[in-house]
């Protein structure tokens, strides 16, 4: 539990001019060329806002094809109400082989504790693979390690900053275990990407493609059977002709 209110948490860590923003943490962990857009209210929902964070991220994957760095884009969707904040994030990396096979989804939950006036903080994340790859285990292991280290360091900064700048007229902030804050995000909960949700037309194309593949295979099979039939007919005629010559 953090000794701050929801509004104070937003001002300290999430606002466009936050003292300890996510973008500043990216810079502190070695990411370069970090840019962050301002929160933009979404027309469809007055309680939903969106922003983009772009940066160059060092690549540490034990594969010869991996470059030293890749361009990353975080798309964050924030839903805010009086009782708390929920931010869903998708992180895609480009200019890296196999990077289009997956993205990292994470969710930040900030919930009010009515009894103390503080907030509970929960961070969940998971690797979402959208294409099959032989290197899935290596990618997942490396990604999980890097994301865990990134979030643990940021949570520690948030805790220290909240203790220094939180409200002084309440009890001391209760200790928060990082193991309780960091939790896995189930893949089924985020199986549809914010960027790549399949449309009805896309599903129609997939079904039509499967139909034509099946139809093409049937044509090929029929041609092969026809060739085999012609070969058998030719052999039978040759045998009959040979038997007639022997007689």
């Amino acid at each position: 539990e953090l000794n701050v209110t929801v509004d104070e948490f937003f001002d300290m860590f999430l606002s466009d001019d936050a003292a300890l923003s996510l973008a500043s943490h990216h810079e502190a962990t070695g990411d370069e060329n970090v840019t962050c857009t301002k929160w933009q209210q979404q027309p469809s929902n007055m309680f939903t806002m969106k922003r983009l964070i772009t940066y160059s991220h060092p690549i540490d994957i034990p594969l010869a094809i991996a470059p030293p760095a890749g361009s990353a884009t975080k798309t964050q969707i924030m839903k805010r109400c009086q009782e708390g904040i929920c931010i869903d994030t998708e992180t895609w990396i480009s200019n890296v082989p196999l990077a289009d096979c997956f993205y990292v989804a994470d969710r930040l939950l900030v919930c009010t504790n009515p009894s103390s006036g503080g907030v509970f903080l929960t961070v969940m994340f998971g690797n979402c693979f959208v294409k099959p790859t032989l290197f899935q285990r290596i990618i997942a292991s490396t990604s999980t390690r890097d994301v865990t280290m990134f979030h643990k360091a940021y949570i520690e900064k948030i805790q220290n900053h909240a203790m220094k700048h939180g409200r002084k007229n309440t009890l001391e902030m209760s200790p928060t275990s990082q193991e309780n804050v960091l939790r896995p995000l189930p893949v089924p909960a985020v199986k549809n990407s914010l960027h790549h949700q399949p449309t009805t037309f896309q599903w129609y194309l997939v079904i039509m493609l499967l139909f034509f593949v099946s139809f093409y295979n049937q044509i090929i099979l029929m041609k092969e059977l026809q060739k085999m039939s012609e070969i058998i007919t030719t052999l039978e005629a040759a045998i009959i002709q040979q038997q007639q010559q022997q007689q």
Side-chain angles (χ1 to χ4, degrees):
E1 181 183 350
L2 300 178
N3 191 25
V4 295
T5 64
V6 172
D7 291 337
E8 289 172 339
F9 185 93
F10 176 83
D11 293 338
M12 290 180 183
F13 310 112
L14 300 177
S15 64
D16 293 330
D17 55 351
L20 187 59
S21 65
L22 184 61
S24 67
H25 182 60
H26 274 288
E27 293 176 341
T29 55
D31 293 330
E32 299 178 345
N33 304 320
V34 181
T35 63
C36 181
T37 64
K38 293 184 177 181
W39 289 108
Q40 297 292 330
Q41 185 173 323
Q42 298 302 287
S44 58
N45 191 333
M46 62 179 298
F47 299 104
T48 301
M49 305 184 77
K50 178 181 178 180
R51 73 177 179 184
L52 298 178
I53 301 176
T54 59
Y55 53 93
S56 179
H57 180 67
I59 303 299
D60 184 18
I61 298 179
L63 295 175
I65 59 176
S71 300
T73 301
K74 283 183 182 289
T75 302
Q76 293 193 304
I77 303 294
M78 177 176 64
K79 295 181 180 179
R80 183 179 178 183
C81 63
Q82 194 171 9
E83 291 76 20
I85 299 171
C86 175
I87 298 181
D88 283 321
T89 304
E90 282 187 11
T91 303
W92 290 83
I93 298 179
S94 57
N95 303 328
V96 178
L98 305 178
D100 61 339
C101 295
F102 81 107
Y103 64 94
V104 177
D106 61 77
R107 177 172 295 160
L108 170 69
L109 296 175
V110 182
C111 303
T112 300
N113 182 359
S115 60
S116 66
V119 295
F120 293 112
L121 177 64
T122 303
V123 178
M124 301 180 286
F125 70 91
N127 297 302
C128 301
F129 284 85
V130 296
K131 294 182 182 179
T133 172
L134 295 175
F135 302 101
Q136 179 170 337
R137 182 172 297 181
I138 296 176
I139 294 173
S141 175
T142 303
S143 175
T144 300
R145 180 200 64 198
D146 292 347
V147 174
T148 300
M149 291 176 58
F150 178 85
H151 281 306
K152 280 188 175 181
Y154 192 40
I155 291 170
E156 184 176 353
K157 288 182 178 180
I158 289 175
Q159 291 176 326
N160 293 335
H161 191 82
M163 290 181 68
K164 292 180 180 179
H165 303 281
R167 292 169 294 143
K168 305 298 183 180
N169 58 343
T170 58
L171 298 176
E172 181 181 357
M173 182 183 68
S174 59
T176 303
S177 170
Q178 290 184 345
E179 286 72 18
N180 292 331
V181 175
L182 277 173
R183 301 178 184 178
L185 181 62
V187 172
V190 292
K191 61 182 178 181
N192 290 330
S193 164
L194 297 175
H195 297 288
H196 302 275
Q197 293 184 0
T199 63
T200 303
F201 179 71
Q202 290 173 331
W203 283 119
Y204 174 77
L205 289 179
V206 171
I207 294 173
M208 292 299 297
L209 179 61
L210 293 175
F211 172 77
F212 282 118
V213 169
S214 176
F215 182 71
Y216 176 77
N217 289 336
Q218 289 182 1
I219 293 177
I220 297 298
L221 179 60
M222 291 177 63
K223 288 184 177 181
E224 293 294 332
L225 291 175
Q226 185 177 359
K227 288 181 180 179
M228 292 181 61
S229 177
E230 292 175 354
I231 293 174
I232 293 174
T233 302
T234 302
L235 289 174
E236 290 178 347
I239 293 173
I240 293 174
Q241 184 178 3
Q242 185 177 6
Q243 290 177 348
Q244 289 176 352
Q245 290 176 355
Q246 290 178 353
Q247 292 178 355

